Amino acid sequence: MSIEQQDWIQEQNRLKRVKSEIQTEMKRLEGIVEHRGSEVLDIRRNFWDEITVNLSNYDDVAETAASITQQQAVLTQQERSFRHAELTLHKLLKLEKTPYFARIDFSEKNHDKLEHVYIGIGSVVDEDTNELLVYDWRAPISGMFYDYTPGPAKYKTPEGEIEGEMALKRQYIIKNSQLEDMFDTGINIGDEMLQVMLAKNAHDKMGSIVMTIQQEQNQIIRDDQHRVLIVQGSAGSGKTSVALQRVAYLLYKYRNALDADQMLLFSPNSLFNDYVSNVLPELGEANMQQTTFQDHLDRGFDDEWTLEDAYDQLEYLLNGSEQLVDYQMRVKSIEWKTSIEFMGVMDQYIEHLKGKDMLFHDFTFKEKVLISKEELAELFYHEFGHDESISNRLDKVKGKVLSELEKIEQRVARNVYKRTLNSPKYLGSNKEMKEESNKKARKALAPLREKAKTLAFVDVIGMYKQLLTDEQWMKRFEGSSDNFFELAKKTINQLNNRKIPYEDATPMVYFQTAFKGFHTLNRIKQVIIDEAQDYSPFQLEYIRRLFPRAKFTLLGDLNQGIYYANVQSYNRIGQLFGEEDVKVMRLTKSYRSTDEIIEFSKRILRKPEPIQPIGRHGESPQIIAVKQVEQLAPTVAEGVRLMLRKGAESVAVICKTDQESAEVYRMLLTLLDQEVHLFTKKSRSFLSGVVVVPAYLAKGLEFDGVIVFNASRTVYEHDSERKLLYTACTRALHYLNVYFVGELSPLIGS
């Protein structure tokens, strides 16, 4: 729809007015930020000047502690106020460049007034008239922009539903405070605008999508009715972006009851954490807490243990031979140790341990047993009631042990004192000798006290081995098989070498909680799990119990479930979280790739989840045969150069494994003139340009061009590798080249 010249003039004049108001507010905030920053520095610098320290007696100590607490509260409040002003100023800096991106004209039912609603990433108010010049995209009235075309429309407010008529829906392209273009649209969020945005190259990091949120995405973003929201999104459907906009929306709607540090994102890896780190700051919100499940597991074991991670496990499965008995046994082991049934057996076994079979470690000092494991078992089973929980009884055992260690420490101190007294070299006073003896005894027994306090005297590993080798218990597990004890033997050999297979890590951390108490994280109110299809039922149930007061958003794509020994389904996830609290929503449209790339990739899967292209066309994917393996790297290097010449700013050479990626990286370093980056599981920062990456690490990322390095039959042959190959192909926005030597993978089809 064409825009009249008069409209252009009016819109440009309004843009100037809004920009002027933003600049006025920025000047005011700059003064506040400077003032509050100075106050914070002054309080820190003079923190102790405002506190009277007196430790003469208990009352004085209590008064001193209260004084410190009060001063700390003042500092915390000033720091919070400073951060809020700084964050608001940061948002205004962004608003100055792009004050708004959309407008709707809306009149309420039975009202004649037509309201012009301009929508941006934050609100702008005329301080003189209190007129709302720009509405925040998260405001209830702004939701109509995403949900309706011109015509009847409505939105919800705390007071009820407002109905009316939308007369206009307009979108703007504003850069550096200049109006470059605008579109009036009578269809979905403008096809014109969407095509403009999607035709662009990939950015260094993920950005916000508030300008192009689609109706089905908006429903997910604004859903606050369900305790558990499961989003099945095809590759390129924007599910991760939607989840992050959802976080921003929830922070806006519940700003008096929800902080960013009460929200937690479980992402696939540290590289992905960096890739998405700009989205919330772009929207003027602080980043929420981010972690990986692997990081959580690592905290459950000390440095003496070597913990396999999910990628090492996958590398084993990708490089191994499915015909080997050891390989088949490992897959079976993964299947049953990741199941909810195995957790059930563990729960029963933990209950059994209340009556017998608890294992302990001796307390030894200079090779002498001070408190034996038998004495600890006697304390646990006969000193305290069987009706108490294991963790409560262990707490009482700990108290008894610490009390006994105190007595032993006194004896050690007396012995040290006697030796010192008889030493002709020591010239100190009697009082000094006693103090020095006490210090030495305390230092000598410090490791034993720490062992008691942390319950390290409980032999968790021993009891886990005991469970695996107990025929009576393992027969209760429906997933057990005839070669079950062969599997158990292999696991125990690993544990004896201080190595923990990935499939055992979560059960062992869970097992620890039975003894040390399940320390739930009640402060977390929202948990987002990305790539949820790669979490086992055992892991998801563990996470559910870890955050008992949280609401969950689970994002996944069953088409990309590359951990094929851990087959997941949303029905099963719904059962874990309680089906009455679960809502499954599907994003089937793929906005990332061209139609040609999407149709090519779909053929790799046998029964794909629904994927719908949006009509953005480009080059067909190229399948390129290479005669000899020695020619593969040079041919791929030429393919990279060609994509760059076509305008690609980011090109990923995607390999099957970590080892193949390292080899290809070394070859491309010598074959290409430009810089090449290698992504590994240890990578912390996302870098654009030319990258080499294993397929499993590329999940969630996107690139202008993608090269599948070697899609020969010898590399991608088995059905179990279909989803990995599909994942590699669907990283591409504009260009996809697939190379092979000899025979093409049968997974690609005709």
Side-chain angles (χ1 to χ4, degrees):
M1 192 180 295
S2 63
I3 309 253
E4 298 293 333
Q5 185 64 28
Q6 185 62 31
D7 274 357
W8 271 93
I9 294 170
Q10 288 175 354
E11 292 286 12
Q12 286 170 331
N13 288 336
R14 192 180 191 286
L15 180 58
K16 288 176 184 175
R17 179 190 172 195
V18 173
K19 180 184 175 183
S20 174
E21 194 63 46
I22 291 171
Q23 289 173 336
T24 301
E25 180 63 10
M26 282 170 61
K27 285 179 183 176
R28 188 184 72 83
L29 267 175
E30 282 168 359
I32 292 173
V33 167
E34 186 176 354
H35 174 68
R36 289 179 183 169
S38 297
E39 283 188 333
V40 167
L41 284 174
D42 286 343
I43 294 172
R44 286 176 180 167
R45 194 179 293 120
N46 305 311
F47 188 89
W48 293 102
D49 295 347
E50 304 296 324
I51 298 169
T52 303
V53 179
N54 191 341
L55 306 177
S56 302
N57 55 52
Y58 178 80
D59 289 339
D60 291 333
V61 169
E63 189 176 332
T64 299
S67 178
I68 292 171
T69 302
Q70 184 178 4
Q71 186 70 353
Q72 182 62 49
V74 171
L75 176 59
T76 301
Q77 177 58 38
Q78 288 294 336
E79 286 177 331
R80 188 181 293 118
S81 178
F82 169 71
R83 284 196 300 270
H84 177 72
E86 202 173 37
L87 199 62
T88 306
L89 181 60
H90 177 71
K91 181 186 280 190
L92 286 174
L93 284 167
K94 289 188 170 298
L95 277 171
E96 183 188 22
K97 294 177 180 177
T98 307
Y100 45 86
F101 54 83
R103 164 186 162 186
I104 56 173
D105 290 355
F106 179 74
S107 58
E108 277 188 46
K109 194 175 182 180
N110 301 324
H111 288 73
D112 294 333
K113 183 183 176 184
L114 185 67
E115 186 176 2
H116 305 309
V117 179
Y118 285 80
I119 301 168
I121 64 167
S123 56
V124 180
V125 180
D126 186 319
E127 292 297 328
D128 296 327
T129 65
N130 278 334
E131 179 189 355
L132 202 53
L133 300 176
V134 180
Y135 284 81
D136 192 297
W137 67 276
R138 299 165 288 187
I141 196 170
S142 303
M144 290 190 294
F145 168 69
Y146 302 110
D147 289 340
Y148 293 97
T149 57
K154 59 186 177 181
Y155 65 97
K156 289 181 180 177
T157 71
E159 290 74 35
E161 201 166 66
I162 307 293
E163 295 184 1
E165 190 82 12
M166 185 194 296
L168 176 73
K169 184 174 181 177
R170 178 172 289 176
Q171 291 175 268
Y172 305 92
I173 296 179
I174 301 173
K175 292 181 181 177
N176 296 320
S177 307
Q178 298 299 313
L179 179 59
E180 293 189 353
D181 207 347
M182 55 183 175
F183 310 97
D184 285 352
T185 177
I187 43 180
N188 288 335
I189 304 254
D191 276 0
E192 287 181 90
M193 175 70 83
L194 189 59
Q195 293 292 353
V196 166
M197 300 301 290
L198 295 178
K200 292 181 177 180
N201 286 341
H203 297 288
D204 287 354
K205 294 185 181 180
M206 183 182 286
S208 71
I209 59 167
V210 290
M211 294 175 65
T212 56
I213 293 169
Q214 302 296 293
Q215 183 180 17
E216 70 275 13
Q217 295 173 330
N218 194 45
Q219 290 172 1
I220 293 167
I221 290 168
R222 293 174 187 258
D223 184 293
D224 58 357
Q225 301 302 308
H226 299 93
R227 194 176 70 83
V228 181
L229 190 64
I230 298 174
V231 181
Q232 159 60 33
S234 61
S237 61
K239 54 187 174 293
T240 302
S241 295
V242 166
L244 294 171
Q245 322 299 304
R246 173 174 164 77
V247 167
Y249 171 77
L250 293 170
L251 287 171
Y252 172 85
K253 184 171 183 180
Y254 299 103
R255 51 192 173 276
N256 295 323
L258 184 65
D259 295 324
D261 62 359
Q262 292 175 304
M263 308 181 86
L264 177 66
L265 169 67
F266 279 103
S267 60
N269 49 60
S270 299
L271 180 67
F272 190 79
N273 277 341
D274 185 60
Y275 181 61
V276 302
S277 61
N278 283 353
V279 177
L280 287 171
E282 269 188 22
L283 297 170
E285 299 290 353
N287 262 322
M288 61 183 158
Q289 296 188 62
Q290 292 176 234
T291 189
T292 66
F293 191 68
Q294 185 66 42
D295 286 340
H296 176 77
L297 292 177
D298 285 339
R299 288 192 287 272
F301 302 96
D302 59 39
D303 294 338
E304 294 178 10
W305 292 91
T306 301
L307 176 59
E308 182 186 48
D309 60 35
Y311 297 127
D312 289 335
Q313 184 196 75
L314 186 59
E315 284 281 345
Y316 171 86
L317 295 173
L318 292 175
N319 290 309
S321 170
E322 293 185 5
Q323 282 73 44
L324 293 176
V325 173
D326 277 2
Y327 183 95
Q328 294 166 5
M329 288 175 66
R330 177 78 192 271
V331 170
K332 188 68 181 175
S333 177
I334 294 169
E335 287 173 353
W336 60 261
K337 288 177 184 172
T338 57
S339 69
I340 200 69
E341 290 77 16
F342 186 56
M343 179 182 267
V345 171
M346 292 188 76
D347 287 337
Q348 293 176 47
Y349 192 69
I350 289 164
E351 192 64 27
H352 161 81
L353 290 172
K354 287 183 178 180
K356 62 177 182 177
D357 290 337
M358 280 283 289
L359 299 178
F360 299 95
H361 295 295
D362 294 327
F363 279 86
T364 59
F365 181 66
K366 294 185 177 179
E367 299 184 357
K368 181 182 177 183
V369 176
L370 300 180
I371 305 172
S372 71
K373 52 192 174 187
E374 290 80 13
E375 290 174 283
L376 293 169
E378 180 70 20
L379 271 176
F380 181 84
Y381 284 117
H382 300 294
E383 190 93 5
F384 310 114
H386 284 203
D387 55 337
E388 286 191 78
S389 70
I390 290 176
S391 58
N392 283 349
R393 284 153 74 185
L394 285 173
D395 251 359
K396 293 180 179 179
V397 172
K398 176 178 73 176
K400 288 271 190 181
V401 168
L402 287 170
S403 192
E404 184 62 28
L405 289 175
E406 191 67 34
K407 295 175 187 175
I408 293 170
E409 185 181 307
Q410 291 171 7
R411 292 201 298 270
V412 171
R414 286 196 295 270
N415 290 335
V416 173
Y417 172 73
K418 286 177 185 177
R419 288 198 302 272
T420 308
L421 198 61
N422 296 326
S423 172
K425 295 181 181 179
Y426 193 81
L427 302 175
S429 67
N430 192 53
K431 182 182 177 183
E432 288 172 338
M433 279 193 288
K434 284 185 176 179
E435 286 178 353
E436 187 63 26
S437 300
N438 288 336
K439 281 182 185 176
K440 287 182 178 179
R442 190 147 194 84
K443 184 178 179 182
L445 289 172
L448 296 185
R449 281 196 306 276
E450 184 65 18
K451 181 176 180 176
K453 288 176 182 177
T454 59
L455 301 180
F457 60 89
V458 181
D459 187 1
V460 178
I461 304 296
M463 285 183 283
Y464 187 68
K465 294 178 188 175
Q466 187 172 262
L467 169 63
L468 294 181
T469 54
D470 192 317
E471 185 174 355
Q472 175 191 351
W473 281 97
M474 284 301 103
K475 280 183 176 176
R476 300 185 184 196
F477 178 51
E478 292 179 6
S480 61
S481 60
D482 294 337
N483 57 7
F484 178 85
F485 288 105
E486 281 300 312
L487 299 177
K489 191 193 300 182
K490 288 182 178 296
T491 301
I492 289 167
N493 285 339
Q494 291 270 70
L495 295 176
N496 289 339
N497 290 317
R498 315 295 285 177
K499 295 177 181 177
I500 301 174
Y502 183 66
E503 60 270 23
D504 290 282
T506 309
M508 288 173 69
V509 168
Y510 177 68
F511 207 38
Q512 289 178 26
T513 65
F515 312 115
K516 299 184 179 181
F518 203 96
H519 300 296
T520 56
L521 302 174
N522 293 321
R523 192 170 184 279
I524 299 297
K525 295 181 179 179
Q526 293 280 344
V527 175
I528 297 96
I529 302 177
D530 204 357
E531 304 295 349
Q533 78 281 348
D534 291 338
Y535 285 71
S536 72
F538 196 121
Q539 289 171 336
L540 288 174
E541 174 62 12
Y542 171 79
I543 292 172
R544 187 190 69 79
R545 296 187 192 185
L546 192 60
F547 302 99
R549 296 184 182 175
K551 291 185 174 181
F552 290 83
T553 303
L554 282 72
L555 317 164
D557 180 12
L558 296 180
N559 289 335
Q560 298 180 68
I562 60 176
Y563 294 89
Y564 47 85
N566 165 30
V567 179
Q568 190 61 277
S569 77
Y570 294 128
N571 288 338
R572 192 65 185 271
I573 294 174
Q575 291 166 10
L576 289 178
F577 284 90
E579 291 179 348
E580 68 282 356
D581 293 330
V582 174
K583 173 75 172 176
V584 178
M585 303 183 81
R586 298 181 183 275
L587 295 174
T588 59
K589 291 181 182 175
S590 180
Y591 301 96
R592 175 187 297 143
S593 307
T594 61
D595 287 21
E596 289 77 11
I597 292 172
I598 291 170
E599 292 302 328
F600 173 85
S601 303
K602 278 168 62 176
R603 293 202 302 270
I604 296 170
L605 302 174
R606 284 199 182 280
K607 294 180 180 178
E609 289 286 317
I611 312 163
Q612 182 182 348
I614 63 157
R616 183 172 72 84
H617 292 281
E619 291 185 10
S620 295
Q622 303 296 304
I623 301 177
I624 300 163
V626 179
K627 290 182 179 179
Q628 295 179 332
V629 71
E630 294 79 14
Q631 297 174 341
L632 187 54
T635 308
V636 164
E638 185 52 42
V640 171
R641 293 189 198 98
L642 182 59
M643 286 185 182
L644 293 172
R645 286 198 294 270
K646 288 178 179 178
E649 294 176 6
S650 61
V651 177
V653 179
I654 300 184
C655 304
K656 183 181 177 184
T657 65
D658 184 61
Q659 182 181 343
E660 184 184 52
S661 297
E663 292 170 357
V664 171
Y665 169 69
R666 284 193 293 271
M667 289 187 284
L668 291 183
L669 278 177
T670 61
L671 292 167
L672 291 172
D673 295 331
Q674 59 266 57
E675 193 172 8
V676 182
H677 306 290
L678 175 65
F679 288 169
T680 71
K681 65 180 182 180
K682 294 181 180 178
S683 298
R684 297 274 168 182
S685 300
F686 181 83
L687 301 168
S688 193
V690 180
V691 304
V692 182
V693 58
Y696 54 79
L697 273 181
K699 292 177 77 168
L701 308 180
E702 59 183 36
F703 307 90
D704 297 330
V706 163
I707 288 175
V708 178
F709 180 76
N710 189 353
S712 307
R713 173 183 280 277
T714 54
V715 179
Y716 292 99
E717 181 177 8
H718 306 291
D719 267 357
S720 56
E721 295 162 339
R722 285 184 184 277
K723 292 181 178 180
L724 190 70
L725 183 56
Y726 169 82
T727 299
C729 294
T730 53
R731 301 308 94 202
L733 273 77
H734 310 299
Y735 312 108
L736 172 63
N737 288 3
V738 178
Y739 294 81
F740 71 98
V741 180
E743 190 177 348
L744 179 65
S745 167
L747 308 182
I748 290 177
S750 53

